[in-house]
Amino acid sequence: MPLQDQSFVRRELDFPGALRQGASGAAVKRVQEWLGFHGNGTPVDGKFGPGTERALQGFAARKRIAYAGEVGPAVWAALTEPMARVLAAAAPANKPYPQLVRWFAEQHLSVHPIEIGGANRGPWVRLYMKGSEGDSMLWCAGFVSTVLRQAAEHAQRAMPIAGSFGCDELAAQAKAAGRFLAGRTVAGGSPGFAALGACGVFLVRKSASDWVHTGFAFDGNAESFLSIEGNTDHKGSANGFEVAQRARKTAACDFIRLG
């Protein structure tokens, strides 16, 4: 089933019915999360009170959409538009798969997915983690796997690896598929970083059998590369709060070849 049709995606995007003051529950929580994403923050408590009403008024005014005390289809669509746009993005035709992966990663980066409502929580985390969220739901590998899937669906081909929520499992899949490249070969060998082509996956190495963070790697050489990664921050944390572009040291990582 295509990613857009998955039940965990539809729960984020499908209009749940009209909502107004006094309502409560998961749909109200989603409204509050999206309000926070758009910069009209209010407590994410699932209770539609005066604070949520005020935040909706501000959001609607800024977006120049009608709001008369009820979250209807138009307001809901405006709230969820960033995720809907990324999931519906149609890449240019005839791109090789690694280029498609980078293109889709850039589409996610362009809307700046962030956590909302607490650590490893919010609609973007649930998208990347197939509906799950919570303190233990480190989502960098989920972000990678989601983008790999989007690109594969667009190209009408199988994913090069199956995808996972865990970095160690991504490494194991890559080794089994003959796609794993040790950092020392990329940093010091020939053809070096060029072996990854237009885009690959990096794995931050803690030990020879333990990887603690992942994302996409491109425009690199023996010393450094650029990345797009999830669950990171300005420090390059493996448990941050956003999708961001960073620069990383080549020798500190291992890699997965996608082409």
Side-chain angles (χ1 to χ4, degrees), residues 167-258:
C167 297
D168 291 354
E169 177 60 24
L170 291 181
Q173 292 172 5
K175 289 180 178 181
R179 295 180 175 276
F180 184 86
L181 297 174
R184 63 181 179 277
T185 66
V186 175
S190 178
F193 201 92
L196 289 174
C199 183
V201 172
F202 75 85
L203 294 156
V204 175
R205 184 178 57 254
K206 184 177 180 180
S207 72
S209 59
D210 186 13
W211 296 268
V212 295
H213 187 56
T214 187
F216 296 105
F218 49 89
D219 291 355
N221 54 39
E223 295 183 349
S224 64
F225 62 90
L226 297 179
S227 72
I228 297 175
E229 54 195 79
N231 206 182
T232 191
D233 57 21
H234 66 284
K235 295 180 180 180
S237 170
N239 189 14
F241 65 94
E242 64 180 343
V243 172
Q245 181 168 307
R246 297 192 48 76
R248 288 190 173 271
K249 184 179 178 181
T250 303
C253 300
D254 296 317
F255 299 89
I256 300 173
R257 177 179 53 81
L258 300 176

Side-chain angles (χ1 to χ4, degrees), residues 29-70:
K29 178 184 175 184
R30 281 169 165 75
V31 169
Q32 293 168 333
E33 290 170 334
W34 281 111
L35 285 168
F37 178 82
H38 288 284
N40 296 91
T42 188
V44 181
D45 59 8
K47 299 177 182 179
F48 195 147
T52 301
E53 174 71 11
R54 184 66 175 266
L56 279 163
Q57 291 171 355
F59 170 76
R62 191 156 50 83
K63 293 293 184 178
R64 299 182 179 180
I65 55 178
Y67 176 72
E70 181 176 275

